[in-house]
Amino acid sequence: MNSRRFGGEGLSLPLDEWYPAELCDKEENVSKLKKLEYLNLALNNIEKIENLEGCEGLTKLDLTVNFIGELSSVKTLGHNIHLKELFLMGNPCADFDGYRQFVVATLQQLKWLDGKEIERSERIQALQNFPVIEQQIREQEEAYCLKRAKDKEEAQRKLREEDENEAKERSHSVFEGQSPFSGEHKDHVQEGQEGEYNQKRFKDNEDDLEFWNKPSLFTPESRLETLRHMEKQRKDQEKLSGKKKKVKPPRILITEDGKVLNVNDPKLDFSLEDDEKRHQIILDLAVYRYMDTSLIDVDVQPTYVRVMVKGKPFQLVLPAEVKPDSSSAKRSQTTGHLVICMPKVDEVITGWRQTSESGTSPSDSSREHTNQRSKQIEKLDVDPSKRSFPDVANIVREKNPTPRRVRSEPKIIPSEEAPDFEDNPEVPPLI
C-alpha cells in the first residue's frame, strides 16, 4: 500500500484514504503541506509532475512505476530547494536518451537519482551538454505524446464496447427473470442450481485466465482495466458463492418469561458492593480509561442495571430493589471506572432491636416509646375520681395560699411563761 509520510512526526497515511475510487493520476491535496518531507506516490497513474511547489520541506520524492512521459515537468521541482532524493525509474521518461543527464542538470539540488549518487563531475558534464540534451528530450516527448493520444483513443473504444456488452447482458438477464415459470420448472431449476453455478464458475475461471494471459500495453488505461477486472471478479465470486454478510442476532437481555439475564459482552471487570451503612448498592465497572463518555449509556431499573459500552451491553441483576430516580453515575478521571450508586427501597435502621417495616423515622419511634411510658404511669392511679377536671374557681381562690409544706407544719406559738421570751413589736408575727 502506498503511503505518505509527514516530516517531523513520521506520520504515514494510506494512499487509498485520499483516492479510494481509483489510482491517482495527479499530485493533489499535498500543496499545502509545507512540512512534508517524504512523499511516496509509486505505482499510480501519474503522467506529469505538478502541484508540489507548496511542499517547502520536501526532501525525498518517490514516483516509481508511473506513466510520466513529460520529462520536462521535472522543472517544477526546482522550487523544492530541499529535495535531495528523486526516484523516476519505471516511467516512460526513464527510457529517453539523455534522461539522467537532463534531470541532473535541471535539478541541481539533487544528491541522489534513482538510488544512485550524483557525482560532481557528472553534474558538470550534464550542464555542459544541456542544450543538446534538452533538444533530444523535447523530440522524444513529442513522439511519446502522439503515441499516447492513439493509446487513449483505443482504450476509450474498448471501454465503450465493454459497456455496451454489459448493458446487453443486464437487459437479457432482466428479460429472463420476468418470464413466467411453473412450479415444477422452478423446482427443477433449484435442483440443478448447483450444477449451473459450477459451470458458470468454471467459465469465469477460463475468462480470468484468458484475461491475464492476454498481452496489454503499459498505459494508465490498462492498469485501470486490470483494477476493474479484479473488482468485477470479486463481485461475481460473492454472487456465485451466495455469501452474504451474516447479521448477528440481537443479544437476548430479557427472556420471554421476563427473566433478566446477566450479560457482559464488553468483557469488563466489575465489582458489586452492598453498602449497609449508607443503605445502597454500588457497582464499579472498569470502563476503558481513554474511552469517550458519550459512548457509555447507563440504565438503572428497580431490579437490574444495564450499561451500554460502545453498543455492547453489560447487564447485572441486583440483589435488592433500588430506586432508579435517586441513583447516580460518576466517571473517574484517572482510572476511567464507572461508579453507579443505587439506593435501596426498604430502609433498615441499624442499632435498634425492632425494625420498622413501614419506614418510620427514629423520632417517630421515640414518640411511641414516650406514649407507652405515659400510659403505664396512668395505670398507677387508684381513685378514678382524681382523674376529674380541676375546679377553676378553686384554683383562683387558692392563688395566694400558704405553701402546702408550711401549712402542714403545726404553728409555733411562743409561750409567755418562757423565761427567755421577749416580745419585740418590730418583729412581724409568724403566719
XYZ file of all heavy atoms in Angstrom, residues 250-345:
762
model
N -29.785 -10.223 17.532
C -29.706 -9.313 18.693
C -29.507 -10.089 19.984
O -30.032 -11.189 20.158
C -31.054 -8.583 18.661
C -31.965 -9.481 17.880
C -31.105 -10.176 16.871
N -28.771 -9.486 20.877
C -28.474 -10.116 22.157
C -29.726 -10.165 23.019
O -30.458 -9.183 23.146
C -27.387 -9.318 22.871
C -26.980 -9.865 24.213
C -26.197 -11.142 24.066
N -25.583 -11.536 25.329
C -24.901 -12.651 25.501
N -24.743 -13.477 24.491
N -24.361 -12.932 26.654
N -30.010 -11.358 23.588
C -31.177 -11.525 24.446
C -30.803 -11.063 25.842
O -29.930 -11.648 26.492
C -31.650 -12.985 24.457
C -32.064 -13.416 23.045
C -32.809 -13.162 25.438
C -32.457 -14.860 22.935
N -31.425 -9.989 26.294
C -31.172 -9.462 27.628
C -32.253 -9.865 28.623
O -31.962 -10.040 29.809
C -31.059 -7.937 27.566
C -29.971 -7.386 26.638
C -30.017 -5.864 26.606
C -28.600 -7.874 27.054
N -33.478 -9.996 28.142
C -34.605 -10.412 28.980
C -35.358 -11.499 28.230
O -35.730 -11.316 27.073
C -35.536 -9.228 29.301
C -34.752 -8.110 30.004
C -36.693 -9.676 30.173
C -35.558 -6.870 30.298
N -35.570 -12.626 28.873
C -36.242 -13.751 28.229
C -37.726 -13.456 28.045
O -38.251 -12.447 28.546
C -36.055 -15.021 29.057
O -36.598 -14.804 30.374
C -34.571 -15.369 29.194
N -38.390 -14.329 27.319
C -39.811 -14.137 27.050
C -40.651 -14.184 28.319
O -41.686 -13.526 28.411
C -40.296 -15.191 26.051
C -39.643 -15.067 24.675
C -40.149 -16.131 23.729
O -40.946 -16.993 24.183
O -39.756 -16.097 22.544
N -40.221 -14.987 29.289
C -40.981 -15.079 30.542
C -40.624 -13.979 31.530
O -41.059 -14.017 32.686
C -40.756 -16.444 31.195
C -39.279 -16.742 31.413
O -38.457 -15.951 30.934
O -38.973 -17.772 32.046
N -39.805 -12.989 31.099
C -39.493 -11.848 31.943
C -38.278 -12.012 32.829
O -38.025 -11.162 33.688
N -37.488 -13.031 32.625
C -36.300 -13.248 33.443
C -35.149 -12.393 32.913
O -34.821 -12.431 31.732
C -35.911 -14.723 33.439
C -34.710 -15.037 34.309
C -34.375 -16.521 34.263
C -33.141 -16.819 35.113
N -32.780 -18.260 35.066
N -34.520 -11.629 33.791
C -33.405 -10.762 33.412
C -32.114 -11.577 33.489
O -31.853 -12.266 34.486
C -33.319 -9.534 34.342
C -32.179 -8.622 33.919
C -34.638 -8.777 34.323
N -31.299 -11.493 32.438
C -30.071 -12.266 32.345
C -28.870 -11.394 32.672
O -28.872 -10.182 32.456
C -29.905 -12.841 30.930
C -31.045 -13.720 30.410
C -30.749 -14.175 28.996
C -31.250 -14.927 31.321
N -27.830 -12.030 33.196
C -26.553 -11.360 33.421
C -25.718 -11.439 32.142
O -25.439 -12.535 31.650
C -25.807 -12.002 34.586
C -26.491 -11.770 35.913
O -27.110 -10.736 36.110
N -26.395 -12.721 36.827
N -25.312 -10.279 31.621
C -24.609 -10.210 30.349
C -23.382 -9.315 30.518
O -23.458 -8.267 31.175
C -25.516 -9.652 29.228
C -24.757 -9.557 27.915
C -26.749 -10.526 29.057
N -22.269 -9.734 29.921
C -21.039 -8.924 29.952
C -20.344 -9.046 28.598
O -19.270 -9.625 28.474
C -20.117 -9.383 31.083
C -18.943 -8.435 31.286
O -18.840 -7.402 30.626
N -18.042 -8.793 32.175
N -20.978 -8.495 27.566
C -20.397 -8.532 26.221
C -19.116 -7.707 26.106
O -18.196 -8.113 25.392
C -21.423 -8.054 25.189
C -22.440 -9.139 24.870
O -22.315 -10.245 25.442
O -23.371 -8.897 24.080
N -18.980 -6.553 26.778
C -17.706 -5.819 26.676
C -16.545 -6.500 27.388
O -15.400 -6.074 27.224
C -18.030 -4.468 27.337
C -19.500 -4.390 27.402
C -19.990 -5.782 27.489
N -16.856 -7.549 28.190
C -15.824 -8.290 28.935
C -15.030 -7.352 29.850
O -13.790 -7.297 29.817
C -14.888 -9.038 27.983
C -15.612 -10.012 27.069
C -14.660 -10.830 26.234
C -15.411 -11.726 25.246
N -16.351 -12.627 25.924
N -15.774 -6.607 30.670
C -15.164 -5.665 31.597
C -15.183 -6.234 33.010
O -16.126 -6.933 33.400
C -15.922 -4.329 31.572
C -15.984 -3.592 30.229
C -16.864 -2.361 30.354
C -14.594 -3.206 29.763
N -14.154 -5.918 33.768
C -14.112 -6.288 35.176
C -15.056 -5.370 35.962
O -15.201 -4.191 35.641
C -12.702 -6.169 35.731
C -11.744 -7.150 35.051
O -12.221 -8.201 34.573
O -10.530 -6.855 34.983
N -15.677 -5.938 37.013
C -16.613 -5.148 37.803
C -16.652 -5.693 39.225
O -16.200 -6.821 39.505
C -18.023 -5.196 37.190
C -18.674 -6.544 37.268
C -19.527 -6.879 38.321
C -18.432 -7.504 36.303
C -20.112 -8.123 38.395
C -19.021 -8.753 36.361
C -19.862 -9.063 37.413
N -17.178 -4.867 40.111
C -17.385 -5.271 41.499
C -18.710 -4.697 41.966
O -19.030 -3.534 41.682
C -16.243 -4.778 42.387
O -16.199 -3.365 42.405
N -19.476 -5.523 42.716
C -20.788 -5.121 43.233
C -20.725 -5.161 44.755
O -20.440 -6.213 45.343
C -21.880 -6.043 42.707
C -23.318 -5.613 42.993
C -23.634 -4.328 42.250
C -24.296 -6.703 42.583
N -20.977 -4.025 45.395
C -20.859 -3.908 46.844
C -22.194 -3.478 47.430
O -22.852 -2.565 46.915
C -19.777 -2.881 47.200
C -19.601 -2.679 48.703
C -18.595 -1.579 49.012
O -18.004 -1.040 48.059
O -18.424 -1.267 50.209
N -22.582 -4.142 48.526
C -23.806 -3.794 49.245
C -23.414 -2.976 50.471
O -22.961 -3.516 51.496
C -24.553 -5.063 49.658
C -25.953 -4.752 50.173
O -26.255 -3.563 50.350
O -26.726 -5.694 50.414
N -23.554 -1.667 50.383
C -23.174 -0.761 51.458
C -24.345 -0.642 52.432
O -25.290 0.120 52.225
C -22.809 0.608 50.874
C -22.186 1.532 51.897
O -22.106 1.134 53.076
O -21.765 2.648 51.529
N -24.283 -1.408 53.536
C -25.374 -1.390 54.511
C -25.393 -0.106 55.324
O -26.442 0.328 55.794
C -25.231 -2.594 55.440
C -25.386 -3.933 54.727
C -25.276 -5.102 55.690
O -25.000 -4.843 56.886
O -25.468 -6.249 55.253
N -24.222 0.504 55.512
C -24.166 1.719 56.313
C -24.932 2.849 55.638
O -25.704 3.568 56.292
C -22.709 2.107 56.520
C -22.520 3.319 57.415
C -21.037 3.614 57.618
C -20.837 4.830 58.521
N -19.403 5.135 58.717
N -24.730 3.003 54.339
C -25.443 4.045 53.588
C -26.688 3.521 52.905
O -27.355 4.267 52.191
C -24.503 4.664 52.558
C -23.289 5.330 53.173
C -22.418 5.967 52.108
N -21.243 6.615 52.691
C -20.295 7.224 52.000
N -20.410 7.285 50.664
N -19.274 7.781 52.598
N -26.936 2.253 53.084
C -28.148 1.627 52.551
C -28.255 1.807 51.024
O -29.216 2.361 50.489
C -29.376 2.215 53.237
C -30.621 1.386 52.992
N -30.708 0.066 53.342
C -31.816 1.716 52.436
C -31.890 -0.395 53.003
N -32.589 0.582 52.446
N -27.218 1.369 50.311
C -27.197 1.473 48.866
C -26.323 0.368 48.271
O -25.517 -0.244 48.975
C -26.667 2.836 48.428
C -25.236 3.125 48.862
C -24.764 4.495 48.467
O -25.476 5.229 47.803
N -23.552 4.858 48.868
N -26.498 0.151 46.971
C -25.705 -0.828 46.221
C -24.791 -0.053 45.272
O -25.244 0.843 44.545
C -26.611 -1.790 45.438
C -27.482 -2.591 46.411
C -25.781 -2.738 44.584
C -28.488 -3.491 45.724
N -23.502 -0.404 45.277
C -22.504 0.319 44.482
C -21.923 -0.640 43.450
O -21.422 -1.715 43.795
C -21.388 0.882 45.381
C -21.981 1.831 46.428
C -20.341 1.600 44.543
C -20.967 2.336 47.423
N -21.996 -0.248 42.177
C -21.412 -1.008 41.073
C -20.208 -0.242 40.535
O -20.331 0.912 40.129
C -22.437 -1.220 39.950
C -21.898 -1.853 38.655
C -21.366 -3.260 38.912
C -22.967 -1.868 37.571
N -19.047 -0.907 40.531
C -17.814 -0.320 39.994
C -17.453 -1.082 38.729
O -17.035 -2.237 38.781
C -16.692 -0.423 41.028
C -15.438 0.341 40.594
O -15.383 0.748 39.427
O -14.517 0.504 41.414
N -17.626 -0.420 37.580
C -17.388 -1.043 36.276
C -16.097 -0.492 35.685
O -15.949 0.721 35.522
C -18.557 -0.775 35.333
C -18.565 -1.501 33.987
C -18.591 -3.008 34.186
C -19.753 -1.062 33.149
N -15.150 -1.383 35.364
C -13.828 -0.969 34.867
C -13.909 -0.633 33.380
O -13.458 -1.385 32.518
C -12.799 -2.064 35.128
N -14.474 0.536 33.064
C -14.564 1.005 31.680
C -13.177 1.415 31.199
O -12.319 1.831 31.994
C -15.556 2.180 31.583
C -15.667 2.680 30.152
C -16.919 1.756 32.089
N -12.951 1.275 29.897
C -11.654 1.626 29.324
C -11.302 3.074 29.654
O -12.134 3.969 29.565
C -11.660 1.407 27.815
C -12.194 0.058 27.418
C -13.385 -0.055 26.701
C -11.529 -1.106 27.769
C -13.884 -1.286 26.344
C -12.032 -2.342 27.414
C -13.203 -2.435 26.709
O -13.690 -3.649 26.362
N -10.042 3.285 29.980
C -9.622 4.570 30.518
C -9.799 5.704 29.519
O -10.263 6.788 29.861
C -8.161 4.468 30.953
C -7.611 5.747 31.558
C -6.192 5.543 32.034
N -5.630 6.757 32.617
C -4.390 6.844 33.090
N -3.603 5.789 33.043
N -3.947 7.982 33.603
N -9.424 5.477 28.269
C -9.431 6.555 27.274
C -10.684 6.546 26.404
O -10.707 7.171 25.348
C -8.187 6.463 26.397
C -6.904 6.623 27.173
C -6.101 5.528 27.471
C -6.509 7.867 27.637
C -4.926 5.675 28.196
C -5.348 8.029 28.369
C -4.566 6.929 28.644
O -3.414 7.077 29.369
N -11.717 5.842 26.812
C -12.966 5.832 26.042
C -13.766 7.101 26.339
O -13.850 7.550 27.478
C -13.795 4.595 26.382
C -15.140 4.548 25.662
S -16.103 3.108 26.107
C -15.126 1.846 25.316
N -14.358 7.660 25.284
C -15.159 8.860 25.454
C -16.450 8.518 26.195
O -17.066 7.483 25.963
C -15.481 9.476 24.084
C -16.066 10.861 24.225
O -15.301 11.818 24.382
O -17.301 10.972 24.188
N -16.855 9.415 27.083
C -18.045 9.167 27.901
C -19.310 9.120 27.057
O -20.301 8.507 27.459
C -18.155 10.256 28.983
O -16.913 10.338 29.692
C -19.242 9.935 29.987
N -19.312 9.761 25.899
C -20.502 9.729 25.043
C -20.807 8.339 24.509
O -21.924 8.084 24.045
C -20.321 10.700 23.869
O -19.214 10.325 23.068
N -19.855 7.425 24.583
C -20.073 6.055 24.125
C -20.617 5.148 25.215
O -20.738 3.944 25.019
C -18.747 5.472 23.595
C -18.098 6.226 22.442
C -16.761 5.602 22.095
C -19.003 6.246 21.227
N -20.963 5.715 26.378
C -21.463 4.945 27.513
C -22.886 5.400 27.800
O -23.169 6.593 27.892
C -20.573 5.135 28.751
C -19.127 4.757 28.426
C -21.085 4.301 29.915
C -18.159 5.074 29.544
N -23.793 4.428 27.964
C -25.193 4.711 28.269
C -25.604 3.851 29.464
O -25.461 2.632 29.425
C -26.080 4.409 27.059
C -27.522 4.825 27.295
O -27.755 5.610 28.231
O -28.419 4.359 26.563
N -26.105 4.500 30.522
C -26.458 3.814 31.771
C -27.969 3.808 31.928
O -28.625 4.837 31.732
C -25.787 4.499 32.977
C -26.144 3.764 34.268
C -24.281 4.551 32.802
N -28.520 2.644 32.283
C -29.951 2.489 32.507
C -30.140 1.683 33.794
O -29.793 0.500 33.852
C -30.612 1.780 31.324
C -32.121 1.646 31.496
O -32.676 2.348 32.366
O -32.734 0.832 30.781
N -30.684 2.343 34.824
C -30.910 1.694 36.118
C -32.392 1.387 36.255
O -33.233 2.277 36.115
C -30.425 2.585 37.278
C -30.693 1.911 38.616
C -28.945 2.900 37.132
N -32.710 0.129 36.523
C -34.066 -0.326 36.745
C -34.181 -0.825 38.185
O -33.169 -1.037 38.857
C -34.432 -1.433 35.755
C -34.438 -0.993 34.293
C -35.500 0.028 33.992
O -36.555 0.054 34.629
N -35.236 0.905 33.017
N -35.397 -1.002 38.693
C -35.530 -1.427 40.099
C -34.832 -2.732 40.431
O -34.355 -2.909 41.552
C -37.045 -1.531 40.279
C -37.620 -0.593 39.271
C -36.701 -0.670 38.097
N -34.741 -3.654 39.487
C -34.168 -4.973 39.797
C -32.870 -5.264 39.062
O -32.227 -6.271 39.347
C -35.192 -6.069 39.454
O -35.547 -5.958 38.054
C -36.428 -5.944 40.324
N -32.477 -4.408 38.112
C -31.236 -4.663 37.386
C -30.676 -3.343 36.861
O -31.367 -2.320 36.831
C -31.460 -5.639 36.222
C -32.332 -5.108 35.117
C -31.784 -4.451 34.010
C -33.714 -5.261 35.150
C -32.575 -3.956 32.990
C -34.519 -4.768 34.141
C -33.945 -4.124 33.070
O -34.727 -3.626 32.060
N -29.407 -3.386 36.444
C -28.733 -2.220 35.874
C -28.121 -2.638 34.551
O -27.576 -3.736 34.420
C -27.652 -1.676 36.837
C -26.626 -2.736 37.169
C -26.975 -0.447 36.250
N -28.219 -1.744 33.559
C -27.705 -2.029 32.218
C -26.811 -0.863 31.768
O -27.209 0.291 31.869
C -28.836 -2.226 31.220
C -28.373 -2.538 29.798
C -29.564 -2.585 28.863
N -30.539 -3.563 29.293
C -31.791 -3.633 28.829
N -32.200 -2.737 27.945
N -32.626 -4.556 29.266
N -25.624 -1.211 31.263
C -24.672 -0.223 30.766
C -24.275 -0.618 29.351
O -23.773 -1.731 29.132
C -23.424 -0.131 31.671
C -22.480 0.940 31.141
C -23.815 0.167 33.112
N -24.497 0.276 28.386
C -24.103 0.041 27.004
C -22.744 0.699 26.771
O -22.609 1.914 26.883
C -25.135 0.606 26.041
C -26.531 0.030 26.214
S -26.624 -1.744 25.860
C -26.288 -1.741 24.106
N -21.735 -0.114 26.476
C -20.372 0.358 26.238
C -20.053 0.141 24.767
O -19.863 -0.988 24.324
C -19.366 -0.371 27.141
C -17.962 0.169 26.914
C -19.749 -0.233 28.605
N -20.023 1.213 23.987
C -19.803 1.154 22.534
C -20.783 0.188 21.871
O -20.438 -0.566 20.979
C -18.367 0.742 22.227
C -17.327 1.779 22.615
C -15.934 1.351 22.236
C -15.767 1.296 20.740
N -14.384 0.976 20.342
N -22.035 0.226 22.321
C -23.074 -0.608 21.754
C -23.123 -2.015 22.296
O -24.033 -2.780 21.934
N -22.197 -2.406 23.163
C -22.184 -3.744 23.742
C -22.801 -3.693 25.133
O -22.420 -2.857 25.952
C -20.755 -4.283 23.815
C -20.117 -4.483 22.457
C -18.719 -5.059 22.592
C -18.076 -5.278 21.225
N -16.716 -5.846 21.343
N -23.772 -4.575 25.424
C -24.483 -4.473 26.698
C -23.745 -5.151 27.846
O -23.160 -6.226 27.704
C -25.803 -5.186 26.399
C -25.452 -6.195 25.357
C -24.348 -5.598 24.528
N -23.783 -4.481 28.994
C -23.391 -5.061 30.281
C -24.611 -4.974 31.185
O -25.109 -3.875 31.459
C -22.215 -4.306 30.897
C -21.892 -4.738 32.302
C -21.019 -5.786 32.539
C -22.479 -4.102 33.389
C -20.729 -6.188 33.830
C -22.197 -4.493 34.677
C -21.321 -5.543 34.901
N -25.121 -6.111 31.608
C -26.340 -6.151 32.408
C -26.120 -7.038 33.618
O -25.532 -8.113 33.520
C -27.506 -6.676 31.559
C -28.845 -6.669 32.278
C -29.985 -6.952 31.334
O -30.415 -6.086 30.576
N -30.465 -8.175 31.342
N -26.619 -6.570 34.780
C -26.408 -7.285 36.035
C -27.678 -7.207 36.870
O -28.253 -6.129 37.041
C -25.227 -6.676 36.797
C -24.704 -7.452 37.995
C -24.130 -8.792 37.567
C -23.635 -6.644 38.721
N -28.079 -8.369 37.375
C -29.246 -8.438 38.254
C -28.823 -8.010 39.654
O -27.813 -8.480 40.179
C -29.837 -9.850 38.263
C -31.047 -9.915 39.177
C -30.218 -10.279 36.854
N -29.605 -7.118 40.284
C -29.263 -6.577 41.587
C -29.798 -7.471 42.698
O -30.864 -8.090 42.561
C -29.835 -5.167 41.731
C -29.352 -4.156 40.679
C -30.064 -2.824 40.862
C -27.853 -3.972 40.757
N -29.105 -7.539 43.838
C -29.562 -8.395 44.938
C -30.759 -7.827 45.685
O -31.394 -8.543 46.458
C -28.326 -8.470 45.849
C -27.566 -7.222 45.563
C -27.795 -6.929 44.112
N -31.066 -6.565 45.521
C -32.206 -5.949 46.192
C -32.801 -4.888 45.279
O -32.171 -4.416 44.332
C -31.773 -5.330 47.521
N -34.028 -4.505 45.577
C -34.718 -3.497 44.771
C -34.161 -2.112 45.104
O -33.916 -1.792 46.271
C -36.211 -3.537 45.040
C -37.024 -2.664 44.092
C -38.515 -2.836 44.299
O -38.891 -3.710 45.105
O -39.278 -2.094 43.670
N -33.924 -1.309 44.073
C -33.320 0.003 44.244
C -34.243 1.079 43.694
O -35.266 0.796 43.063
C -31.949 0.064 43.528
C -30.998 -0.948 44.127
C -32.101 -0.147 42.025
N -33.846 2.330 43.946
C -34.602 3.482 43.465
C -33.901 4.060 42.233
O -32.838 4.683 42.360
C -34.691 4.555 44.545
C -35.360 4.083 45.827
C -35.342 5.187 46.870
C -35.970 4.735 48.167
N -35.933 5.794 49.211
N -34.426 3.874 41.038
C -33.751 4.389 39.829
C -33.631 5.912 39.810
O -32.622 6.464 39.356
C -34.627 3.880 38.688
C -35.391 2.723 39.258
C -35.601 3.056 40.697
N -34.673 6.612 40.321
C -34.652 8.078 40.256
C -33.595 8.677 41.171
O -33.094 9.781 40.907
C -36.033 8.630 40.630
C -37.103 8.215 39.640
O -36.730 7.880 38.494
O -38.291 8.208 40.003
N -33.255 7.984 42.256
C -32.262 8.510 43.199
C -30.854 8.006 42.910
O -29.923 8.346 43.639
C -32.656 8.126 44.626
O -33.951 8.602 44.931
N -30.680 7.198 41.887
C -29.368 6.635 41.578
C -28.498 7.681 40.883
O -28.999 8.629 40.268
C -29.516 5.404 40.692
O -30.307 4.418 41.329
N -27.175 7.478 40.975
C -26.217 8.407 40.363
C -25.081 7.609 39.747
O -24.733 6.525 40.220
C -25.670 9.391 41.405
O -24.952 8.696 42.414
N -24.497 8.161 38.664
C -23.374 7.529 37.964
C -22.270 8.560 37.788
O -22.528 9.683 37.331
C -23.814 6.977 36.607
N -21.036 8.166 38.161
C -19.888 9.045 38.039
C -18.748 8.308 37.356
O -18.625 7.093 37.491
C -19.444 9.552 39.417
C -20.491 10.411 40.113
C -19.988 10.904 41.456
C -21.026 11.773 42.156
N -20.543 12.259 43.479
N -17.910 9.068 36.656
C -16.767 8.511 35.920
C -15.479 9.049 36.523
O -15.335 10.261 36.717
C -16.871 8.906 34.442
C -15.756 8.318 33.566
C -16.198 7.059 32.903
N -15.125 6.460 32.120
C -14.863 6.771 30.859
N -15.599 7.671 30.245
N -13.879 6.153 30.215
N -14.535 8.162 36.810
C -13.252 8.565 37.356
C -12.377 9.144 36.252
O -12.235 8.553 35.178
C -12.550 7.374 38.009
O -11.261 7.725 38.430
N -11.769 10.301 36.510
C -10.908 10.938 35.517
C -9.529 10.299 35.443
O -8.812 10.479 34.466
C -10.758 12.427 35.843
C -12.056 13.211 35.718
C -11.869 14.687 35.993
O -10.789 15.113 36.365
N -12.918 15.463 35.817
N -9.144 9.551 36.465
C -7.818 8.922 36.480
C -7.849 7.495 35.957
O -7.046 7.120 35.104
C -7.258 8.931 37.908
O -8.204 8.294 38.786
C -7.013 10.347 38.374
N -8.800 6.702 36.442
C -8.863 5.289 36.034
C -9.880 5.030 34.937
O -9.792 4.019 34.257
C -9.197 4.406 37.242
O -10.496 4.773 37.754
C -8.161 4.584 38.339
N -10.851 5.929 34.773
C -11.895 5.721 33.780
C -13.024 4.846 34.260
O -13.978 4.602 33.513
N -12.957 4.337 35.495
C -14.003 3.454 36.002
C -15.329 4.201 36.138
O -15.358 5.396 36.447
C -13.591 2.878 37.353
C -12.554 1.805 37.243
N -12.455 0.768 38.137
C -11.581 1.592 36.336
C -11.458 -0.022 37.792
N -10.905 0.466 36.696
N -16.407 3.455 35.951
C -17.758 3.992 36.092
C -18.337 3.478 37.403
O -18.436 2.269 37.618
C -18.634 3.569 34.916
C -20.082 4.049 34.938
C -20.142 5.566 34.764
C -20.895 3.374 33.843
N -18.706 4.394 38.297
C -19.243 4.046 39.611
C -20.706 4.452 39.639
O -21.039 5.633 39.459
C -18.464 4.740 40.737
C -19.037 4.355 42.097
C -16.989 4.366 40.666
N -21.607 3.476 39.882
C -23.055 3.701 39.924
C -23.531 3.416 41.341
O -23.350 2.298 41.842
C -23.787 2.810 38.909
C -23.208 3.006 37.502
C -25.276 3.105 38.907
C -23.788 2.072 36.472
N -24.123 4.416 41.993
C -24.657 4.286 43.351
C -26.179 4.210 43.261
O -26.817 5.116 42.723
C -24.232 5.464 44.221
S -22.438 5.625 44.395
N -26.757 3.140 43.820
C -28.194 2.881 43.713
C -28.773 2.676 45.109
O -28.533 1.633 45.741
C -28.434 1.642 42.839
C -27.923 1.800 41.418
S -27.817 0.250 40.511
C -26.306 -0.418 41.236
N -29.526 3.653 45.661
C -30.139 3.495 46.986
C -31.209 2.398 46.975
O -31.941 2.222 46.003
C -30.757 4.861 47.261
C -30.099 5.788 46.298
C -29.752 4.980 45.103
N -31.303 1.684 48.102
C -32.302 0.630 48.219
C -33.672 1.230 48.513
O -33.802 2.357 48.986
C -31.906 -0.333 49.337
C -30.625 -1.106 49.074
C -30.357 -2.055 50.229
C -29.045 -2.804 50.037
N -28.750 -3.704 51.179
N -34.705 0.422 48.280
C -36.078 0.880 48.506
C -36.438 0.784 49.975
O -36.860 1.752 50.612
C -37.061 0.068 47.642
C -38.496 0.400 48.018
C -36.820 0.360 46.176
